Amino acid sequence: MRAKRDTVPRPVSIAYFMSSERSAQSDLEAFLGSIPRMAGQDAEVAAVLAEFSATSAFHRVIPLAAHGGLSGARLWRIETRDATFALRQWPAEHPPPERLRFVHAVLAHAFRRGCTRLSVPVAARDGETFVLRQGRLWELAPWLPGEASFERKPTRDKLANALRLLAQFHLACSDFDPRSGSSPGLVERTRRLAELDARLIVSLFRAIESNPVASKVDDLARSALANLQNGAAAVRPLLASAASLLFPLQPCLRDIWHGNLLFTGDEVTGVVDFGAMQIDSPALDVARLLGSMAGDDAEKWRSGLAAYEARRPLSADEHAAIPAADASGTVLGCVNWLRWLYVERRQFSDLSAVEMRMKSLAMRLRHLARA
């Protein structure tokens, strides 16, 4: 019998985080009246903020260029009298409102069970945890401390602490609409790998030559493409076996990598960007996080798995699925980035971050193709 998840309570409003002696009406009027005078304030951002609260004064609104990561989101730091928030505008491509409601419900569920390194979005005045404006979704959540410092300064303690936090999240969400079955992610990857043939590789090569992005990124793209066919051939039997396995299924982050982890010293002080969350096997999260933090270093993989299993032991089938999830994620991650950059021609504010992601994928794909 499927366990019934806790009823998700009405989301906490922004008023929970601050106090005011003025009435809601007078506070709202004061805020709206201040919009034209707010230095550098974008009118759309101001209108969105007005939807989140009638009981707070937004003192500073700071655009965070290149802080939206690689998801295409835009971010602002919002400072009030008593607290600091992050305002996120989700990209037009994703997620739809129903998916975002699911994500926010999972975050609230995990937070109540002690996973406090997550930032749970606050409620707008209509009770929703997001605002829909001109086809874009916006959310406001408490600001998390720390910085995404692993790539610049990797340590074994950071690796271990990240895996422990991931295990804590999986334990906290294990009773949120629990299911069992094959991994949706692995089944989907099996289908996508079957479509990766010579014609697709030729079309991607032509796209790179026709729509160059930047010389270093283009060279990395060509390097990845040169190893794509052999990498896919190495992954297919491994993935086919893993996709046939049955697992406990639950909410998984699906895009948990070092760039979405905030550190203060060696401690994880925040996790960000939950747009890829869906029901799947925790094995996919373990593979995604360790693949980004350990690369092809076998010793780091062993220590990372040990840190995770100190809190949440992995089943034999989960152990078997992790290498398949990591390898298929590398191959299809390359395909995704080649399509985004050269076919769809998506624009990213931080081209250096794109270059680093392409470099990592190209290196790992070369290792996989030669294994």
Side-chain angles (χ1 to χ4, degrees):
M1 180 179 293
R2 182 180 299 179
K4 185 177 180 181
R5 75 170 191 245
D6 287 355
T7 301
V8 178
R10 181 180 177 85
V12 176
S13 73
I14 195 173
Y16 176 84
F17 297 94
M18 59 201 71
S19 60
S20 174
E21 296 179 356
R22 292 181 293 173
S23 69
Q25 183 62 36
S26 64
D27 212 9
L28 177 61
E29 290 172 354
F31 170 58
L32 294 177
S34 72
I35 288 174
R37 298 189 297 275
M38 297 174 82
Q41 176 63 62
D42 178 85
E44 187 176 21
V45 171
V48 169
L49 289 175
E51 292 297 319
F52 274 103
S53 183
T55 62
S56 62
F58 297 95
H59 287 180
R60 296 183 68 197
V61 179
I62 306 167
L64 300 177
H67 279 68
L70 298 172
S71 68
R74 297 175 63 198
L75 293 178
W76 291 259
R77 179 184 172 105
I78 310 297
E79 297 179 358
T80 73
R81 288 186 299 266
D82 304 289
T84 303
F85 297 86
L87 177 68
R88 172 186 290 262
Q89 181 196 59
W90 286 94
E93 297 86 7
H94 69 89
E98 193 56 38
R99 168 67 70 83
L100 199 54
R101 289 189 188 98
F102 162 75
V103 169
H104 291 176
V106 171
L107 293 178
H109 184 92
F111 191 93
R112 289 195 305 272
R113 280 158 173 71
C115 203
T116 57
R117 298 297 187 261
L118 310 174
S119 187
V120 181
V122 299
R125 289 187 290 137
D126 64 0
E128 285 277 21
T129 52
F130 56 83
V131 168
L132 175 60
R133 181 176 174 82
Q134 298 182 354
R136 303 293 285 271
L137 296 174
W138 301 71
E139 69 181 33
L140 188 71
W143 185 266
L144 293 172
E147 60 179 338
S149 61
F150 183 83
E151 189 168 52
R152 176 172 52 83
K153 190 177 180 181
T155 70
R156 291 189 178 275
D157 284 342
K158 284 180 179 177
L159 175 67
N161 289 334
L163 270 295
R164 291 186 191 106
L165 179 63
L166 181 60
Q168 182 187 17
F169 173 81
H170 287 155
L171 288 171
C173 295
S174 62
D175 61 343
F176 187 101
D177 195 13
R179 310 175 190 182
S180 62
S182 55
S183 159
L186 295 179
V187 171
E188 173 64 13
R189 291 179 188 186
T190 302
R191 182 192 65 78
R192 290 187 59 200
L193 272 181
E195 297 173 350
L196 207 173
D197 56 17
R199 287 180 299 175
L200 176 58
I201 291 174
V202 169
S203 70
L204 290 173
F205 175 79
R206 289 173 177 167
I208 294 170
E209 300 309 309
S210 301
N211 304 310
V213 173
S215 59
K216 291 183 179 179
V217 175
D218 298 339
D219 287 344
L220 290 167
R222 294 185 189 98
S223 173
L225 198 57
N227 290 298
L228 196 56
Q229 195 163 20
N230 287 342
V235 168
R236 284 191 180 100
L238 192 65
L239 184 60
S241 177
S244 68
L245 299 173
L246 301 179
F247 308 93
L249 304 177
Q250 63 169 81
C252 292
L253 298 172
R254 292 292 303 275
D255 192 27
I256 179 67
W257 67 294
H258 66 71
N260 287 341
L261 295 177
L262 305 179
F263 292 91
T264 299
D266 288 334
E267 293 298 320
V268 182
T269 49
V271 186
V272 299
D273 201 348
F274 304 100
M277 184 188 292
Q278 66 182 53
I279 300 294
D280 214 312
S281 166
L284 270 71
D285 278 352
V286 176
R288 179 73 178 94
L289 183 55
L290 267 174
S292 80
M293 301 186 84
D296 296 309
D297 187 318
E299 176 55 35
K300 289 181 180 178
W301 272 86
R302 283 191 289 270
S303 64
L305 288 171
Y308 181 92
E309 291 200 90
R311 291 194 173 179
R312 181 189 177 273
L314 293 159
S315 70
D317 285 347
E318 287 173 332
H319 269 290
I322 287 171
D326 176 53
S328 60
T330 298
V331 171
L332 294 174
C334 284
V335 174
N336 287 342
W337 275 99
L338 293 174
R339 280 178 166 158
W340 293 338
L341 291 170
Y342 299 101
V343 178
E344 300 175 15
R345 305 189 71 178
R346 293 190 193 181
Q347 300 298 309
F348 296 90
S349 58
D350 188 352
L351 199 57
S352 64
V354 173
E355 181 183 334
M356 291 303 295
R357 178 65 74 88
M358 285 299 302
K359 183 177 181 180
S360 174
L361 286 169
M363 289 176 60
R364 298 210 67 208
L365 185 57
R366 183 169 62 250
H367 183 271
L368 179 64
R370 295 176 180 178

